[in-house]
Amino acid sequence: MACARVPLDEQQVTEPGPLGAERTLPALHPDRMEERCFVPYKPPPAEGSPADVEEFLEHAKFITEDLEWLLALPHDKFWCQVVFDGSLQRCLDSYLHHAPRGLEIIVLPFSRMVADVQRAVHRAVFLTFLRMATHKESKENFLTPAVFGEIIYDNFLFDIPKILDLCVLFGKGNSQLLHKMIENIFTQQPSYYSDLDETVPTVLQVFDNILHKCGLQCEEAAAIEPMKLNAHKQPTAVTMSQQELVDIILYLCDSTTTIHAFLDIFPAACSSFQSHSFLSRLTSFYETAVPDLEKAVRKRNFDDKDLHEDLWKRLSHSCRKMVESAHLLMHHTCLQPILEGRENMQTFAEELLQYFTTFLTEKRFLSDYDEQFPIADDISLLQQALPVIDETRTSYLLQGVESAWDSVGRRKPPSQIRNEAPSSVSAVQGAAGGGVASAAGYEPEEVREPGRDGESLSGAEAMVDVPRKGNNGAVRPVSEAELESLLSCIVDLLPDLGEGFLLACLQEYNYNSELVINNILEDRLTPNLDKLDRAMPRPVKEELPDVLNNRSNVFDDDEFDIFRRDQLDMSRIWKGRKRGENTREMLNDKQHIEEQRARYQTYETVVDEVIVEPGESAAGFDLDDYDDEYDDTYDMNQVGANDLDGDSLLNRRPFTVPQVLRKGNKTEEEEEGEDDEEEDVLQKNVNRDQFVQDPALLRQRAEARRAATQQRKGFRPEPPGNVVGRPKGQGQTLGTFLDRRKKEANKSRGANHNRRNMADRKRNKGMIPS
């Protein structure tokens, strides 16, 4: 028998050998293992045929019985079976790989029986892993901590992928047990921390793979590896096949749910994730991939409405888990040390503000994050804990949050839910006072899923949380296609309700179809909705007039009017050069001139007199008929033109332009003289082609006019100055001397800008050495 108070790894046992003789063996020895075959786990069948359901029930029953037998073994036998039985590890690994996750709901004819068996397997697997992670069961049954760490690490009883699967499968309802279990594993074997550091880049690679499949690339990845030239040829989320889109969304949902569950249960891993800039990569992925995936799901036509609704639910769930993961990272690495009053609080506050500042460029992520976790609350906590926080910076952050809501086209809810414990304010004030002991009584509120406390063990059958807002996380009016999709989903479940009533409900509950259905079934509608008629039809929408039929254009009813013609002459439409057409032949083609020749030939003949035959008078011109009513008194006589009582109308003086309207101060004689000169010149050159006149002649005329004008006004041009003078040594005349002095005095009028006078002024003041 095993000795008391001795670790199992140091114990020796005496047992009969194969030939009947007794032998002494270590307590952990392969020969002490029982021969038992553990069958691998198979998930519940999707189709639900009776044969498949019966096979699943039989396999699950075998697994449950084997694991209950294993749990009933004593401490030494249990560890011999765990360490040396390979079929047991394969059975446990198969359950972690194939067990249905939270969003995978089993709908079978025998759902209750299947659920009961599944729950039994789920519980047995969890208890097995829990016992495997416990190195001390009692004072008599325990392992040396160092040996325990080597056993679980060297035999791969636990690794990082297994721990991630344990969190996502058993985290809901068992978070405290899982936290103690994983904390004990990492404490007894610190090598798991190094494995976690090597796993984080693999998790980041998941995001890169999704972006690559969607034909996208985030900024951080682009800085490391530039996008390839053939990247534009890859299919996008909108153009890829339906099966590929389904796989990507399922992959994203499973990955984000697993990461959030692990960070929520084991917060100590947040520092390892942050060491690889996980938060910045997560936000960049969210901003880049989520809009494209939502657009692809929204615009794609699915034959199966259930598939469409399931994809939208999974995508919304993924978005929420990414936002919550980002909050966990910032809470445990920045905010919690501040609330606990640790040292270097200013450093943690600066790091938190820096994260918020980097979020300002990620508009979509920032608005979704602020909807679930208002940034104003975190900034308020910082201001209470550290009054020295720069108010200008915090105001800038809050304005950036408001701008993010406006840029994404959404409206911030008027009142955001704030679940703050009353002790949080006093705890923050105590932390601000500088004492760790004063803030030690404050326990920061963890991010918990609704309904976790007091919930029974559900494991793999856990349902997804219903989002508070609409299916797409928005509180803005949805598009027409989204509205039709929401209506169709509700009408399928509640066909007796009118579409008008459902539209009012959707508008009241921010287009959240799940919330509308839940409140209708539980009869918890608001009073204004209860007053409405539940069979109210949808209001008739007035059809707008067709723009194409009411348009007015100069090309209406022409031969290429496609809006009014069903058939067009396509032989007259081509792109580029017409086939079989030569440019030279096209230029030499004068057919259009020949077509116009007959039109202009009618103007060649001008008839001065028309000879009318006697028989044609009545038919044509009526020239022979006399009109006795015609009065020819004024045909030839100029009546009143030569009367003696006034000046003759024919001998009036010529018209004179008034002095006010004349140009300049030129007299009439000067204007007439200039006109005569110009007329003489024009008469001399009347036979020349004046299309382009000689520039020299034009300059000569202008100079002559200028000289004549100066002569009339008595202007005398200034005589040219002679500043050059005679050659040196022959003496200068008085005129040359005077011209030079005049030039020297008047230098400031030119380009020198009074340079000589200013130089003399500086020299007189001693600024320039003489």
Side-chain angles (χ1 to χ4, degrees), residues 495-596:
D496 56 332
L497 300 179
E499 292 188 357
F501 175 73
L502 296 179
L503 282 176
C505 295
L506 287 173
Q507 186 176 4
E508 178 69 22
Y509 293 107
N510 295 326
Y511 299 93
N512 186 351
S513 59
E514 291 88 351
L515 192 58
V516 169
I517 296 173
N518 183 64
N519 290 340
I520 291 176
L521 294 178
E522 296 183 0
D523 198 11
R524 293 191 306 175
L525 294 175
T526 57
N528 57 337
L529 294 178
D530 280 334
K531 297 177 182 179
L532 298 178
D533 182 13
R534 299 208 170 192
M536 181 174 58
R538 190 172 185 176
V540 179
K541 186 177 181 182
E542 298 182 359
E543 296 184 359
L544 298 177
D546 192 1
V547 180
L548 297 179
N549 294 333
N550 296 333
R551 70 187 182 98
S552 297
N553 196 287
V554 295
F555 301 105
D556 287 347
D557 298 323
D558 63 1
E559 57 179 332
F560 297 109
D561 190 358
I562 60 174
F563 298 105
R564 290 179 171 84
R565 291 179 178 270
D566 296 334
Q567 295 181 356
L568 300 178
D569 186 7
M570 302 303 296
S571 62
R572 300 193 59 190
I573 302 175
W574 65 85
K575 182 178 180 181
R577 182 186 297 177
K578 193 174 181 180
R579 292 184 178 180
E581 186 179 60
N582 191 359
T583 305
R584 186 174 300 277
E585 293 178 358
M586 181 182 65
L587 295 177
N588 294 335
D589 186 9
K590 307 300 181 182
Q591 182 180 358
H592 61 286
I593 300 178
E594 297 296 335
E595 293 175 354
Q596 299 293 333

Side-chain angles (χ1 to χ4, degrees), residues 4-240:
R5 302 299 177 90
V6 178
L8 179 61
D9 51 279
E10 298 179 2
Q11 293 180 12
Q12 300 286 333
V13 293
T14 303
E15 292 182 352
L19 301 179
E22 294 185 355
R23 58 176 181 173
T24 302
L25 297 175
L28 292 176
H29 194 274
D31 293 342
R32 303 194 63 205
M33 179 189 69
E34 298 289 341
E35 293 294 336
R36 196 177 186 96
C37 181
F38 291 85
V39 297
Y41 171 82
K42 292 183 179 180
E47 300 298 332
S49 62
D52 296 336
V53 172
E54 184 178 358
E55 183 182 1
F56 167 75
L57 294 176
E58 185 178 4
H59 273 77
K61 184 179 180 181
F62 289 157
I63 295 174
T64 305
E65 292 176 353
D66 291 340
L67 293 181
E68 289 177 353
W69 170 82
L70 177 67
L71 293 173
L73 292 177
H75 186 252
D76 56 343
K77 290 285 187 177
F78 172 81
W79 278 103
C80 289
Q81 202 74 27
V82 167
V83 174
F84 303 113
D85 192 349
S87 64
L88 172 62
Q89 296 303 322
R90 286 191 294 271
C91 174
L92 296 176
D93 292 346
S94 64
Y95 185 82
L96 296 181
H97 292 166
H98 302 294
R101 266 57 176 174
L103 291 177
E104 299 178 8
I105 305 172
I106 305 171
V107 181
L108 296 174
F110 312 96
S111 58
R112 181 173 298 275
M113 185 183 302
V114 172
D116 293 340
V117 174
Q118 173 67 27
R119 189 178 293 108
V121 177
H122 190 81
R123 182 177 182 275
V125 173
F126 176 70
L127 293 178
T128 303
F129 277 109
L130 184 62
R131 189 176 183 184
M132 287 168 55
T134 305
H135 68 284
K136 184 177 181 180
E137 297 182 2
S138 64
K139 295 181 180 181
E140 293 78 15
N141 301 321
F142 64 95
L143 285 167
T144 305
V147 177
F148 168 76
E150 294 179 0
I151 290 176
I152 61 175
Y153 191 79
D154 295 341
N155 294 280
F156 295 95
L157 301 184
F158 291 98
D159 52 27
I160 300 300
K162 286 184 180 181
I163 294 175
L164 294 175
D165 289 332
L166 288 173
C167 292
V168 73
L169 285 175
F170 306 102
K172 193 170 184 179
N174 305 285
S175 58
Q176 296 182 357
L177 287 176
L178 266 179
H179 173 72
K180 294 180 180 179
M181 175 176 125
I182 298 175
E183 186 178 18
N184 184 56
I185 292 173
F186 277 83
T187 302
Q188 306 304 331
Q189 182 54 266
S191 299
Y192 283 109
Y193 282 105
S194 60
D195 292 351
L196 180 60
D197 290 334
E198 297 177 0
T199 306
V200 175
T202 307
V203 177
L204 293 175
Q205 187 63 34
V206 171
F207 298 147
D208 295 339
N209 292 339
I210 296 176
L211 291 175
H212 178 71
K213 291 291 184 181
C214 297
L216 302 171
Q217 191 173 15
C218 62
E219 297 180 358
E220 287 77 2
I224 300 174
E225 181 181 358
M227 183 177 292
K228 298 180 180 179
L229 296 177
N230 59 353
H232 65 279
K233 300 180 181 179
Q234 297 179 356
T236 61
V238 180
T239 60
M240 67 174 53

Side-chain angles (χ1 to χ4, degrees), residues 373-663:
F373 309 101
I375 296 179
D377 294 352
D378 295 338
I379 292 180
S380 178
L381 290 176
L382 289 181
Q383 291 175 344
Q384 295 179 38
L386 297 172
V388 296
I389 295 295
D390 187 6
E391 294 185 0
T392 304
R393 186 174 184 182
T394 56
S395 301
Y396 171 75
L397 289 176
L398 295 178
Q399 292 177 2
V401 173
E402 299 294 335
S403 176
W405 281 92
D406 296 337
S407 62
V408 298
R410 295 167 57 186
R411 184 176 57 189
K412 194 173 183 179
S415 58
Q416 292 180 337
I417 301 176
R418 300 181 180 181
N419 297 326
E420 296 180 358
S423 61
S424 61
V425 177
S426 60
V428 173
Q429 293 176 353
V436 178
S438 60
Y442 171 69
E443 182 179 358
E445 183 180 358
E446 296 181 357
V447 179
R448 298 181 182 272
E449 300 181 9
R452 171 176 294 185
D453 296 335
E455 185 177 1
S456 61
L457 179 64
S458 58
E461 293 182 346
M463 290 290 294
V464 63
D465 303 333
V466 178
R468 296 179 181 178
K469 299 301 176 186
N471 290 344
N472 56 350
V475 284
R476 60 174 175 82
V478 296
S479 62
E480 192 68 24
E482 292 175 334
L483 185 60
E484 295 295 335
S485 177
L486 294 176
L487 278 176
S488 63
C489 294
I490 302 178
V491 170
D492 291 342
L493 297 176
L494 305 171
D496 56 332
L497 300 179
E499 292 188 357
F501 175 73
L502 296 179
L503 282 176
C505 295
L506 287 173
Q507 186 176 4
E508 178 69 22
Y509 293 107
N510 295 326
Y511 299 93
N512 186 351
S513 59
E514 291 88 351
L515 192 58
V516 169
I517 296 173
N518 183 64
N519 290 340
I520 291 176
L521 294 178
E522 296 183 0
D523 198 11
R524 293 191 306 175
L525 294 175
T526 57
N528 57 337
L529 294 178
D530 280 334
K531 297 177 182 179
L532 298 178
D533 182 13
R534 299 208 170 192
M536 181 174 58
R538 190 172 185 176
V540 179
K541 186 177 181 182
E542 298 182 359
E543 296 184 359
L544 298 177
D546 192 1
V547 180
L548 297 179
N549 294 333
N550 296 333
R551 70 187 182 98
S552 297
N553 196 287
V554 295
F555 301 105
D556 287 347
D557 298 323
D558 63 1
E559 57 179 332
F560 297 109
D561 190 358
I562 60 174
F563 298 105
R564 290 179 171 84
R565 291 179 178 270
D566 296 334
Q567 295 181 356
L568 300 178
D569 186 7
M570 302 303 296
S571 62
R572 300 193 59 190
I573 302 175
W574 65 85
K575 182 178 180 181
R577 182 186 297 177
K578 193 174 181 180
R579 292 184 178 180
E581 186 179 60
N582 191 359
T583 305
R584 186 174 300 277
E585 293 178 358
M586 181 182 65
L587 295 177
N588 294 335
D589 186 9
K590 307 300 181 182
Q591 182 180 358
H592 61 286
I593 300 178
E594 297 296 335
E595 293 175 354
Q596 299 293 333
R597 187 181 302 277
R599 177 181 178 183
Y600 288 98
Q601 283 179 354
T602 57
Y603 299 99
E604 292 181 355
T605 304
V606 180
V607 180
D608 295 335
E609 297 180 358
V610 179
I611 301 175
V612 181
E613 298 296 333
E616 299 178 356
S617 59
F621 302 94
D622 295 336
L623 297 179
D624 296 337
D625 297 339
Y626 174 75
D627 187 4
D628 56 355
E629 295 181 0
Y630 178 73
D631 189 0
D632 56 355
T633 304
Y634 301 99
D635 284 351
M636 299 298 296
N637 298 330
Q638 300 179 357
V639 179
N642 298 323
D643 291 344
L644 297 178
D645 56 352
D647 294 338
S648 175
L649 295 177
L650 302 178
N651 297 326
R652 284 184 179 181
R653 62 185 178 88
F655 177 75
T656 304
V657 179
Q659 185 71 22
V660 180
L661 301 178
R662 296 180 183 180
K663 298 180 180 179

Side-chain angles (χ1 to χ4, degrees), residues 240-509:
M240 67 174 53
S241 63
Q242 177 175 324
Q243 186 59 40
E244 290 180 349
L245 179 62
V246 172
D247 293 341
I248 287 177
I249 295 180
L250 294 179
Y251 186 38
L252 176 63
C253 181
D254 184 60
S255 302
T256 53
T257 305
T258 303
I259 294 171
H260 172 264
F262 177 64
L263 295 178
D264 187 17
I265 293 172
F266 189 58
C270 292
S271 57
S272 299
F273 277 77
Q274 283 295 77
S275 63
H276 294 271
S277 303
F278 182 82
L279 184 60
S280 61
R281 294 288 295 275
L282 178 64
T283 56
S284 179
F285 169 81
Y286 190 98
E287 190 74 16
T288 306
V290 169
D292 276 23
L293 292 176
E294 286 186 352
K295 181 179 178 181
V297 176
R298 187 183 300 113
K299 291 190 175 182
R300 190 181 294 269
N301 295 325
F302 291 90
D303 297 333
D304 188 1
K305 293 184 179 180
D306 295 336
L307 177 61
H308 186 197
E309 184 178 357
D310 181 67
L311 290 180
W312 189 260
K313 182 185 296 184
R314 288 179 182 271
L315 185 57
S316 301
H317 180 77
S318 303
C319 296
R320 183 171 182 177
K321 291 306 176 183
M322 283 189 282
V323 171
E324 292 179 354
S325 299
H327 176 71
L328 286 174
L329 290 172
M330 289 188 294
H331 178 81
H332 291 292
T333 57
C334 301
L335 193 58
Q336 186 173 357
I338 296 175
L339 299 177
E340 293 177 354
R342 299 181 188 176
E343 297 180 358
N344 300 326
M345 294 172 56
Q346 185 68 30
T347 304
F348 293 112
E350 180 66 26
E351 186 177 358
L352 182 62
L353 293 176
Q354 184 62 33
Y355 285 138
F356 288 153
T357 305
T358 56
F359 292 168
L360 295 180
T361 57
E362 318 292 348
K363 303 294 184 181
R364 173 64 188 275
F365 175 81
L366 183 60
S367 60
D368 291 347
Y369 182 89
D370 186 64
E371 182 181 359
Q372 296 191 38
F373 309 101
I375 296 179
D377 294 352
D378 295 338
I379 292 180
S380 178
L381 290 176
L382 289 181
Q383 291 175 344
Q384 295 179 38
L386 297 172
V388 296
I389 295 295
D390 187 6
E391 294 185 0
T392 304
R393 186 174 184 182
T394 56
S395 301
Y396 171 75
L397 289 176
L398 295 178
Q399 292 177 2
V401 173
E402 299 294 335
S403 176
W405 281 92
D406 296 337
S407 62
V408 298
R410 295 167 57 186
R411 184 176 57 189
K412 194 173 183 179
S415 58
Q416 292 180 337
I417 301 176
R418 300 181 180 181
N419 297 326
E420 296 180 358
S423 61
S424 61
V425 177
S426 60
V428 173
Q429 293 176 353
V436 178
S438 60
Y442 171 69
E443 182 179 358
E445 183 180 358
E446 296 181 357
V447 179
R448 298 181 182 272
E449 300 181 9
R452 171 176 294 185
D453 296 335
E455 185 177 1
S456 61
L457 179 64
S458 58
E461 293 182 346
M463 290 290 294
V464 63
D465 303 333
V466 178
R468 296 179 181 178
K469 299 301 176 186
N471 290 344
N472 56 350
V475 284
R476 60 174 175 82
V478 296
S479 62
E480 192 68 24
E482 292 175 334
L483 185 60
E484 295 295 335
S485 177
L486 294 176
L487 278 176
S488 63
C489 294
I490 302 178
V491 170
D492 291 342
L493 297 176
L494 305 171
D496 56 332
L497 300 179
E499 292 188 357
F501 175 73
L502 296 179
L503 282 176
C505 295
L506 287 173
Q507 186 176 4
E508 178 69 22
Y509 293 107

